[in-house]
Amino acid sequence: MTVRHFLTLNDLSRDELRGLIQRAIELKAKQKSGDIFEPLKNKVLGMVFEKSSTRTRVSFETGMVQFGGHAIFLSPRDTQLGRGEPIEDSARVLSRMVDIIMIRTFEHEKIQLFADHSQVPVINALTNEYHPCQLLADMQTYVEHRGNISGKRVAWIGDGNNMCHSYINAAKQFDFQLHIAAPEGYLPDAQIFADGDSHATLAESPAVAATDADLVVTDVWASMGQEEEQTARERAFTDYQVTPALMKLAKPDALFMHCLPAHRGEEVAAEVIDGAQSVVWDEAENRLHSQKALLEFLIG
Ligand code: CP
Ligand code: NVA
């Protein structure tokens, strides 16, 4: 049997993704009702973090505990991964011991290489290019608040980064229209954009992207690993803040999402992220429920 990985949203079919979102909603209700459900008893998740994390680490670790399993946090500082042991060897060894592996790293090729040598499923917990787990939570949150996202209009305001790329994948898989407003020099990867078929388009300004949107999404201007570009990026992105005026162009019942951590006064105004249209706390919580659905699906 071939091992299923979750490196991008394209690793699952449209039906599988829809099923996962429904399952996440069920698992959330189960958890809230106090129902003990431990399908992963004695199963172990290995969590490799080469970048910082709050939500991803806590949601995966909590999810495994709630499922009756266990999670091991592995950082390059304290493992041989940080001392140059080849990725292929690390993958071979770790996958003989644990049942599933989650990795947050830099280049997407690294996680691809790891997955190629792993006997167990590998989950992308963020690379420079993609953040698919976040999209599961975002899609669950949209469905919970507004129902089916198919046919809806989504505005991406800001950097053409890992989150933007996963939104492009999601537009195709969940069948919505994505309007991206990004400054020159910070556009999404051309190939990933092209692979979104006609589900993603470039808008000439944030106002154009946000007009009539059902959902407005943004992310930090400088991602992890780009700290030294902060000042240059602040200049390039000055006109790309999600403000109350921008939200007014969207549909009256439009939602606002942000994967977090957020910088109020940079990519988003405090009045927006802390306002009535923002669903960022549900979105963060849903990392837990949607990843539990993913773990259950991949371990089977
Ligand atoms: N959104 C997200 O992935 O958050 P963390 O970096 O805290 O894991
Ligand atoms: N684009 C951000 C997302 C953080 C969850 C980053 O890569 O740092």
Side-chain angles (χ1 to χ4, degrees):
M1 209 181 75
T2 51
V3 182
R4 298 287 299 272
H5 301 296
F6 184 63
L7 305 189
T8 77
L9 288 172
N10 295 331
D11 287 333
L12 267 60
S13 71
R14 289 173 169 206
D15 285 347
E16 285 171 336
L17 286 171
R18 276 176 187 75
L20 219 59
I21 302 304
Q22 286 314 315
R23 183 62 180 153
I25 293 170
E26 276 169 33
L27 288 170
K28 184 174 183 175
K30 232 181 188 359
Q31 183 66 27
K32 302 264 181 213
S33 71
D35 200 352
I36 304 285
F37 179 57
E38 299 184 323
L40 302 188
K41 228 175 168 50
N42 294 318
K43 300 288 183 193
V44 177
L45 165 72
M47 305 191 299
V48 178
F49 278 99
E50 295 196 322
K51 288 176 175 171
S52 303
S53 167
T54 298
R55 280 144 288 268
T56 304
R57 176 179 177 180
V58 176
S59 54
F60 269 112
E61 203 164 325
T62 302
M64 281 307 285
V65 171
Q66 290 180 353
F67 267 172
H70 186 77
I72 304 176
F73 176 78
L74 300 159
S75 102
R77 251 203 315 276
D78 332 290
T79 60
Q80 303 292 0
L81 279 160
R83 297 184 62 255
E85 181 164 14
I87 291 170
E88 299 90 318
D89 294 359
S90 303
R92 289 180 182 112
V93 172
L94 286 176
S95 71
R96 282 173 178 241
M97 297 179 184
V98 304
D99 302 282
I100 186 158
I101 297 168
M102 179 239 82
I103 304 180
R104 169 168 285 195
T105 188
F106 293 85
E107 299 79 17
H108 193 74
E109 295 73 39
K110 268 169 105 171
I111 200 169
Q112 186 70 62
L113 185 63
F114 193 104
D116 289 345
H117 294 85
S118 172
Q119 297 180 14
V120 300
V122 175
I123 297 172
N124 179 358
L126 183 145
T127 59
N128 291 346
E129 286 77 23
Y130 298 100
H131 195 6
C133 288
Q134 183 67 51
L135 262 292
L136 296 181
D138 287 22
M139 294 300 103
Q140 180 186 347
T141 308
Y142 191 89
V143 170
E144 286 176 343
H145 283 268
R146 295 285 183 268
N148 197 349
I149 198 166
S150 167
K152 301 290 182 188
R153 188 181 161 113
V154 179
W156 175 267
I157 312 294
D159 196 11
N161 63 10
N162 44 10
M163 274 297 298
C164 179
H165 292 158
S166 283
Y167 258 94
I168 294 171
N169 290 164
K172 188 171 170 184
Q173 294 285 59
F174 290 92
D175 190 32
F176 58 82
Q177 207 56 46
L178 182 68
H179 297 266
I180 302 165
E184 217 30 67
Y186 298 95
L187 297 176
D189 175 83
Q191 191 56 54
I192 295 170
F193 179 78
D195 291 344
D197 292 341
S198 45
H199 285 87
T201 50
L202 295 177
E204 67 199 35
S205 67
V208 170
T211 298
D212 291 330
D214 297 284
L215 168 65
V216 178
V217 195
T218 190
D219 186 15
V220 291
W221 289 341
S223 286
M224 289 181 276
Q226 299 172 333
E227 288 76 10
E228 68 293 346
E229 298 174 31
Q230 178 70 28
T231 315
R233 284 171 170 269
E234 277 173 25
R235 245 178 277 124
F237 287 93
T238 323
D239 298 330
Y240 288 76
Q241 184 180 105
V242 179
T243 58
L246 195 72
M247 288 302 293
K248 279 215 173 65
L249 298 173
K251 295 223 177 88
D253 68 342
L255 298 176
F256 170 77
M257 290 192 199
H258 188 312
C259 65
L260 308 176
H263 299 76
R264 289 169 177 76
E266 289 184 27
E267 74 274 7
V268 61
E271 302 92 296
V272 172
I273 193 167
D274 299 319
Q277 287 170 285
S278 172
V279 289
V280 298
W281 314 122
D282 290 339
E283 184 187 0
E285 178 189 330
N286 284 338
R287 293 294 304 278
L288 169 65
H289 309 296
S290 56
Q291 285 160 199
K292 283 172 75 178
L294 178 67
L295 289 164
E296 186 188 49
F297 173 84
L298 290 174
I299 298 181

Short mmCIF file of all heavy atoms in Angstrom, two decimals, residues 142 145-148 152-153 212-216 247-257 276-279:
data_model
loop_
_atom_site.label_atom_id
_atom_site.label_comp_id
_atom_site.label_asym_id
_atom_site.label_seq_id
_atom_site.Cartn_x
_atom_site.Cartn_y
_atom_site.Cartn_z
N TYR A 142 -14.88 28.86 7.42
CA TYR A 142 -15.82 29.47 6.47
C TYR A 142 -17.13 28.68 6.46
O TYR A 142 -18.23 29.24 6.55
CB TYR A 142 -15.23 29.59 5.06
CG TYR A 142 -16.13 30.46 4.21
CD1 TYR A 142 -15.96 31.85 4.17
CD2 TYR A 142 -17.22 29.91 3.53
CE1 TYR A 142 -16.85 32.66 3.47
CE2 TYR A 142 -18.11 30.71 2.83
CZ TYR A 142 -17.92 32.09 2.79
OH TYR A 142 -18.79 32.88 2.11
N HIS A 145 -19.32 29.24 9.50
CA HIS A 145 -19.97 30.56 9.59
C HIS A 145 -20.91 30.84 8.43
O HIS A 145 -21.91 31.53 8.60
CB HIS A 145 -18.91 31.66 9.65
CG HIS A 145 -18.28 31.79 11.01
ND1 HIS A 145 -18.76 32.63 11.97
CD2 HIS A 145 -17.21 31.15 11.55
CE1 HIS A 145 -18.02 32.52 13.07
NE2 HIS A 145 -17.07 31.63 12.84
N ARG A 146 -20.55 30.38 7.23
CA ARG A 146 -21.32 30.81 6.05
C ARG A 146 -21.77 29.68 5.13
O ARG A 146 -22.38 29.93 4.11
CB ARG A 146 -20.47 31.78 5.21
CG ARG A 146 -20.14 33.11 5.90
CD ARG A 146 -21.36 34.03 5.92
NE ARG A 146 -21.03 35.31 6.51
CZ ARG A 146 -21.18 35.59 7.81
NH1 ARG A 146 -21.65 34.68 8.64
NH2 ARG A 146 -20.86 36.78 8.29
N GLY A 147 -21.39 28.44 5.43
CA GLY A 147 -21.76 27.32 4.55
C GLY A 147 -20.74 27.13 3.43
O GLY A 147 -19.60 27.60 3.53
N ASN A 148 -21.17 26.46 2.38
CA ASN A 148 -20.29 26.09 1.26
C ASN A 148 -19.52 27.29 0.69
O ASN A 148 -20.11 28.34 0.42
CB ASN A 148 -21.18 25.48 0.17
CG ASN A 148 -20.39 24.70 -0.84
OD1 ASN A 148 -19.16 24.75 -0.87
ND2 ASN A 148 -21.11 23.96 -1.68
N LYS A 152 -17.79 31.22 -4.16
CA LYS A 152 -17.64 32.49 -3.45
C LYS A 152 -16.41 33.25 -3.96
O LYS A 152 -15.56 32.71 -4.66
CB LYS A 152 -17.51 32.24 -1.94
CG LYS A 152 -18.68 31.53 -1.33
CD LYS A 152 -19.92 32.38 -1.28
CE LYS A 152 -21.06 31.62 -0.61
NZ LYS A 152 -22.32 32.29 -0.67
N ARG A 153 -16.35 34.51 -3.54
CA ARG A 153 -15.27 35.40 -3.95
C ARG A 153 -14.37 35.69 -2.75
O ARG A 153 -14.84 36.19 -1.72
CB ARG A 153 -15.90 36.70 -4.49
CG ARG A 153 -14.91 37.62 -5.13
CD ARG A 153 -15.60 38.89 -5.61
NE ARG A 153 -14.55 39.89 -5.79
CZ ARG A 153 -14.19 40.40 -6.95
NH1 ARG A 153 -14.84 40.08 -8.05
NH2 ARG A 153 -13.19 41.26 -7.02
N ASP A 212 -16.79 43.33 -3.29
CA ASP A 212 -17.79 42.24 -3.30
C ASP A 212 -17.26 40.91 -2.78
O ASP A 212 -17.86 39.85 -3.06
CB ASP A 212 -18.36 42.05 -4.72
CG ASP A 212 -19.22 43.22 -5.14
OD1 ASP A 212 -19.83 43.85 -4.24
OD2 ASP A 212 -19.27 43.52 -6.35
N ALA A 213 -16.16 40.94 -2.05
CA ALA A 213 -15.61 39.68 -1.53
C ALA A 213 -16.50 39.11 -0.43
O ALA A 213 -17.13 39.85 0.33
CB ALA A 213 -14.20 39.92 -0.99
N ASP A 214 -16.53 37.77 -0.37
CA ASP A 214 -17.22 37.07 0.71
C ASP A 214 -16.27 36.81 1.88
O ASP A 214 -16.70 36.56 3.00
CB ASP A 214 -17.75 35.72 0.20
CG ASP A 214 -18.76 35.89 -0.90
OD1 ASP A 214 -19.91 36.25 -0.59
OD2 ASP A 214 -18.39 35.71 -2.08
N LEU A 215 -14.99 36.84 1.56
CA LEU A 215 -13.96 36.57 2.57
C LEU A 215 -12.73 37.39 2.21
O LEU A 215 -12.31 37.40 1.04
CB LEU A 215 -13.62 35.07 2.56
CG LEU A 215 -12.38 34.61 3.33
CD1 LEU A 215 -12.55 34.85 4.83
CD2 LEU A 215 -12.12 33.12 3.08
N VAL A 216 -12.16 38.08 3.20
CA VAL A 216 -10.93 38.85 2.99
C VAL A 216 -9.85 38.23 3.88
O VAL A 216 -10.08 38.01 5.07
CB VAL A 216 -11.14 40.35 3.34
CG1 VAL A 216 -9.84 41.13 3.17
CG2 VAL A 216 -12.26 40.95 2.48
N MET A 247 -12.62 46.83 4.08
CA MET A 247 -13.67 45.85 4.41
C MET A 247 -15.04 46.34 3.94
O MET A 247 -15.91 45.53 3.61
CB MET A 247 -13.69 45.56 5.92
CG MET A 247 -12.53 44.74 6.44
SD MET A 247 -12.31 43.10 5.69
CE MET A 247 -13.77 42.21 6.24
N LYS A 248 -15.22 47.66 3.90
CA LYS A 248 -16.52 48.23 3.46
C LYS A 248 -16.79 47.91 1.99
O LYS A 248 -17.94 47.89 1.56
CB LYS A 248 -16.54 49.74 3.67
CG LYS A 248 -16.84 50.11 5.10
CD LYS A 248 -17.68 51.40 5.19
CE LYS A 248 -18.12 51.65 6.61
NZ LYS A 248 -16.99 51.92 7.51
N LEU A 249 -15.73 47.69 1.21
CA LEU A 249 -15.91 47.36 -0.21
C LEU A 249 -16.39 45.92 -0.40
O LEU A 249 -17.00 45.57 -1.41
CB LEU A 249 -14.59 47.55 -0.97
CG LEU A 249 -14.01 48.96 -0.99
CD1 LEU A 249 -12.62 48.96 -1.62
CD2 LEU A 249 -14.94 49.89 -1.76
N ALA A 250 -16.09 45.08 0.59
CA ALA A 250 -16.50 43.67 0.52
C ALA A 250 -18.00 43.58 0.79
O ALA A 250 -18.65 44.57 1.14
CB ALA A 250 -15.71 42.86 1.53
N LYS A 251 -18.55 42.36 0.65
CA LYS A 251 -19.98 42.17 0.94
C LYS A 251 -20.25 42.50 2.41
O LYS A 251 -19.36 42.33 3.25
CB LYS A 251 -20.37 40.71 0.67
CG LYS A 251 -20.24 40.31 -0.80
CD LYS A 251 -21.43 39.47 -1.25
CE LYS A 251 -21.33 39.14 -2.73
NZ LYS A 251 -20.57 37.91 -2.98
N PRO A 252 -21.44 42.96 2.74
CA PRO A 252 -21.73 43.33 4.14
C PRO A 252 -21.51 42.18 5.13
O PRO A 252 -21.15 42.42 6.27
CB PRO A 252 -23.22 43.73 4.10
CG PRO A 252 -23.52 44.02 2.67
CD PRO A 252 -22.57 43.22 1.82
N ASP A 253 -21.71 40.95 4.66
CA ASP A 253 -21.52 39.81 5.58
C ASP A 253 -20.16 39.12 5.35
O ASP A 253 -19.97 37.97 5.75
CB ASP A 253 -22.66 38.79 5.44
CG ASP A 253 -22.63 38.07 4.09
OD1 ASP A 253 -21.95 38.58 3.15
OD2 ASP A 253 -23.26 37.01 3.97
N ALA A 254 -19.21 39.84 4.75
CA ALA A 254 -17.89 39.25 4.50
C ALA A 254 -17.18 38.93 5.81
O ALA A 254 -17.35 39.63 6.81
CB ALA A 254 -17.05 40.22 3.67
N LEU A 255 -16.38 37.87 5.78
CA LEU A 255 -15.58 37.49 6.94
C LEU A 255 -14.14 37.96 6.74
O LEU A 255 -13.70 38.14 5.60
CB LEU A 255 -15.59 35.97 7.12
CG LEU A 255 -16.94 35.31 7.38
CD1 LEU A 255 -16.77 33.79 7.42
CD2 LEU A 255 -17.56 35.81 8.68
N PHE A 256 -13.43 38.12 7.85
CA PHE A 256 -11.99 38.42 7.77
C PHE A 256 -11.22 37.28 8.44
O PHE A 256 -11.58 36.85 9.54
CB PHE A 256 -11.65 39.74 8.49
CG PHE A 256 -10.16 39.94 8.62
CD1 PHE A 256 -9.40 40.35 7.52
CD2 PHE A 256 -9.50 39.65 9.81
CE1 PHE A 256 -8.02 40.49 7.63
CE2 PHE A 256 -8.12 39.80 9.93
CZ PHE A 256 -7.37 40.21 8.83
N MET A 257 -10.17 36.81 7.75
CA MET A 257 -9.31 35.76 8.32
C MET A 257 -7.84 36.15 8.24
O MET A 257 -7.42 36.90 7.37
CB MET A 257 -9.51 34.43 7.59
CG MET A 257 -10.85 33.78 7.84
SD MET A 257 -10.87 32.07 7.25
CE MET A 257 -12.64 31.81 7.13
N ALA A 276 -16.16 42.90 14.32
CA ALA A 276 -17.25 41.92 14.24
C ALA A 276 -17.11 40.94 13.08
O ALA A 276 -17.64 39.83 13.14
CB ALA A 276 -18.58 42.66 14.14
N GLN A 277 -16.42 41.35 12.01
CA GLN A 277 -16.32 40.45 10.84
C GLN A 277 -15.17 39.45 10.96
O GLN A 277 -15.04 38.53 10.17
CB GLN A 277 -16.14 41.29 9.57
CG GLN A 277 -17.42 42.01 9.15
CD GLN A 277 -17.15 43.00 8.04
OE1 GLN A 277 -16.60 44.08 8.29
NE2 GLN A 277 -17.53 42.66 6.84
N SER A 278 -14.31 39.67 11.95
CA SER A 278 -13.14 38.81 12.12
C SER A 278 -13.50 37.48 12.79
O SER A 278 -14.20 37.46 13.80
CB SER A 278 -12.11 39.55 12.98
OG SER A 278 -11.06 38.68 13.32
N VAL A 279 -13.01 36.39 12.20
CA VAL A 279 -13.25 35.06 12.78
C VAL A 279 -11.91 34.39 13.10
O VAL A 279 -11.79 33.16 13.08
CB VAL A 279 -14.10 34.17 11.83
CG1 VAL A 279 -15.54 34.67 11.78
CG2 VAL A 279 -13.51 34.11 10.42
#
